[in-house]
């Protein structure tokens, strides 16, 4: 698949998801760029904005197997990975696969499960495999996790540690639609008999696997590569930041920028691609100082200021 074909496929997928989810196109591009970069996406927003619908619609449009895991305080690692069950007929143990064995896994309200259960999923995300009773089992390929967090009702939740948040390629939020968008929701509901809209497959089977190979062919000039590194390193030099972007975070910025170039049908990355993806890639990786938190500074402010400070290269 070449870049032009990949861009058209991405357009078809985003158009299909847009028929079910009322949101800005940039948000859907961010989610898809995370998948193209072989990463995972963390969605943080209030209930009822369409996080679950977005994940399910994306999986359906790509023709991928989809599972949803509702994270709760009593969820165990085996509830995610699966376990061995004794079969009396054969007098042996058989492995029952858990819901993590799917192409697209929605980890709903991941911050409601205890750290040990969170770690079971995050290990699967990083390694593409799970270990149960000393036996390693490979997860399907492609494998893509969309995890959601609810920023309200924090009582009884388990905040994701910084090291675990770093494993998500991008973090995004849908936000409330404007008045026109909410009116469109009503109009769409009035025109169908089901409460939840459905999305049909719009691309060939294994489209995501093919799409994920295309960003590897995208050219990145030396000046843009330096820009990616300088932006990441500048976060560590900001007085408001206690822990800046890790080397893995800089690599993710590079990868997601290439994915965005593909979505827009270009065979090369521009500095604007880096700027556009910097916020969703970097914000959740920063740990601010106590003084910055007291002053109501957030990570998005730091990323914006870093982008204003770092010199943008001229690329011909």
């Amino acid at each position: 698949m070449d870049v032009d074909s990949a861009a058209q496929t991405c357009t078809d997928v985003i158009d299909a998801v847009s028929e079910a989810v009322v949101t800005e196109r940039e948000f859907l591009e961010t989610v898809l760029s995370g998948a193209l970069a072989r990463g995972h996406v963390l969605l943080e927003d209030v209930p009822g904005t369409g996080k679950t619908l977005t994940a399910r619609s994306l999986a359906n449009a790509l023709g991928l197997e989809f599972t949803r895991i509702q994270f709760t305080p009593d969820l165990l690692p085996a509830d995610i990975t699966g376990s061995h069950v004794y079969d009396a007929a054969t007098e042996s143990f058989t492995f029952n696969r858990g819901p993590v064995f799917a192409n697209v896994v929605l980890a709903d309200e991941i911050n409601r499960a205890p750290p040990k259960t969170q770690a079971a999923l995050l290990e699967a995300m990083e390694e593409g495999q799970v270990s149960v009773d000393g036996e390693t089992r490979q997860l399907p390929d492609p494998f893509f996790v969309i995890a959601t967090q609810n920023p309200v009702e924090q009582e009884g939740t388990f905040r994701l540690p910084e090291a675990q948040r770093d494993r998500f390629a991008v973090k995004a939020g849908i936000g409330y639609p404007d008045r026109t968008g909410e009116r469109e929701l009503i109009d769409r509901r009035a025109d169908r008999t089901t409460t939840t809209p459905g999305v049909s497959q719009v691309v060939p089977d294994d489209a995501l696997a093919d799409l994920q190979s295309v960003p590897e062919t995208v050219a990145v000039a030396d000046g843009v590569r330096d820009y990616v590194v300088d932006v990441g390193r500048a976060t560590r030099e900001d007085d408001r930041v206690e822990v800046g972007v890790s080397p893995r975070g800089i690599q993710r910025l590079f990868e997601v920028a290439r994915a965005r170039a593909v979505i827009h049908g270009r065979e090369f990355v521009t500095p604007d691609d880096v700027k556009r993806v910097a916020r969703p890639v970097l914000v959740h990786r920063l740990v601010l100082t106590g003084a910055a938190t007291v002053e109501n500074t957030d990570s998005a402010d730091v990323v914006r200021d870093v982008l204003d400070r770092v010199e943008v290269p001229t690329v011909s």
Side-chain angles (χ1 to χ4, degrees):
M1 182 181 292
D2 58 19
V3 170
D4 290 338
S5 299
Q8 184 58 56
T9 300
C10 292
T11 298
D12 293 341
V13 170
I14 292 174
D15 288 345
V17 177
S18 297
E19 294 178 2
V21 184
V22 177
T23 184
E24 295 181 358
R25 193 175 187 87
E26 184 174 353
F27 164 75
L28 297 179
E29 288 184 1
T30 297
V31 175
L32 186 57
S33 66
L36 260 62
R38 303 179 189 272
H40 308 281
V41 174
L42 179 62
L43 300 182
E44 183 174 87
D45 223 318
V46 296
T49 51
K51 301 185 294 294
T52 300
L53 181 60
T54 298
R56 182 184 297 112
S57 299
L58 179 62
N60 290 343
L62 290 168
L64 299 174
E65 182 184 2
F66 172 80
T67 59
R68 175 179 177 271
I69 307 172
Q70 180 62 57
F71 278 63
T72 57
D74 60 347
L75 193 71
L76 300 175
D79 295 329
I80 295 175
T81 61
S83 59
H84 288 91
V85 178
Y86 183 72
D87 186 346
T90 61
E91 297 184 347
S92 62
F93 286 90
T94 59
F95 180 71
N96 282 358
R97 291 187 170 190
V100 75
F101 285 88
N103 299 119
V104 180
V105 176
L106 173 64
D108 213 356
E109 296 189 286
I110 189 173
N111 55 330
R112 293 202 177 277
K116 188 174 183 179
T117 304
Q118 293 176 1
L121 176 65
L122 293 166
E123 179 184 3
M125 292 164 51
E126 186 71 15
E127 305 296 336
Q129 63 185 28
V130 296
S131 298
V132 180
D133 296 336
E135 186 175 353
T136 300
R137 297 178 182 273
Q138 294 294 322
L139 294 171
D141 185 22
F143 175 68
F144 175 44
V145 171
I146 299 179
T148 71
Q149 282 193 141
N150 184 353
V152 297
E153 298 179 8
Q154 293 299 315
E155 184 176 354
T157 62
F158 302 87
R159 186 173 180 269
L160 284 178
E162 287 76 10
Q164 294 181 352
R165 294 204 306 270
D166 193 47
R167 301 192 184 190
F168 290 94
V170 297
K171 176 186 175 183
I174 300 178
Y176 291 119
D178 57 20
R179 187 182 186 282
T180 302
E182 292 193 297
R183 172 56 192 268
E184 184 178 350
L185 280 172
I186 298 298
D187 292 340
R188 290 184 181 185
R189 177 64 182 89
D191 292 337
R192 64 175 186 269
T193 57
T194 57
T195 58
T196 303
V199 173
S200 301
Q201 181 176 351
V202 296
V203 296
D205 292 337
D206 300 326
L208 181 57
D210 292 337
L211 285 171
Q212 288 176 332
S213 65
V214 178
E216 301 298 326
T217 67
V218 172
V220 186
D222 288 342
V224 178
R225 297 186 187 194
D226 290 339
Y227 183 56
V228 169
V229 173
D230 291 342
V231 167
R233 292 178 64 87
T235 63
R236 305 173 196 161
E237 300 166 0
D238 194 293
D239 293 337
R240 297 165 293 178
V241 177
E242 183 175 338
V243 180
V245 175
S246 67
R248 174 164 53 192
I250 292 176
Q251 181 176 319
R252 291 291 180 268
L253 181 59
F254 173 78
E255 293 167 346
V256 177
R258 289 199 301 184
R260 186 181 189 276
V262 170
I263 292 174
H264 287 266
R266 281 183 279 99
E267 297 179 350
F268 56 91
V269 173
T270 67
D272 188 61
D273 289 323
V274 179
K275 283 189 170 185
R276 291 285 186 175
V277 302
R279 177 169 176 169
V281 173
L282 303 182
V283 162
H284 60 291
R285 304 177 192 276
L286 301 181
V287 180
L288 302 184
T289 63
T293 303
V294 169
E295 295 172 359
N296 292 323
T297 300
D298 61 24
S299 299
D301 296 329
V302 174
V303 173
R304 183 183 62 249
D305 293 344
V306 164
L307 292 175
D308 289 341
R309 285 200 309 270
V310 177
E311 183 178 356
V312 179
T314 302
V315 180
S316 58

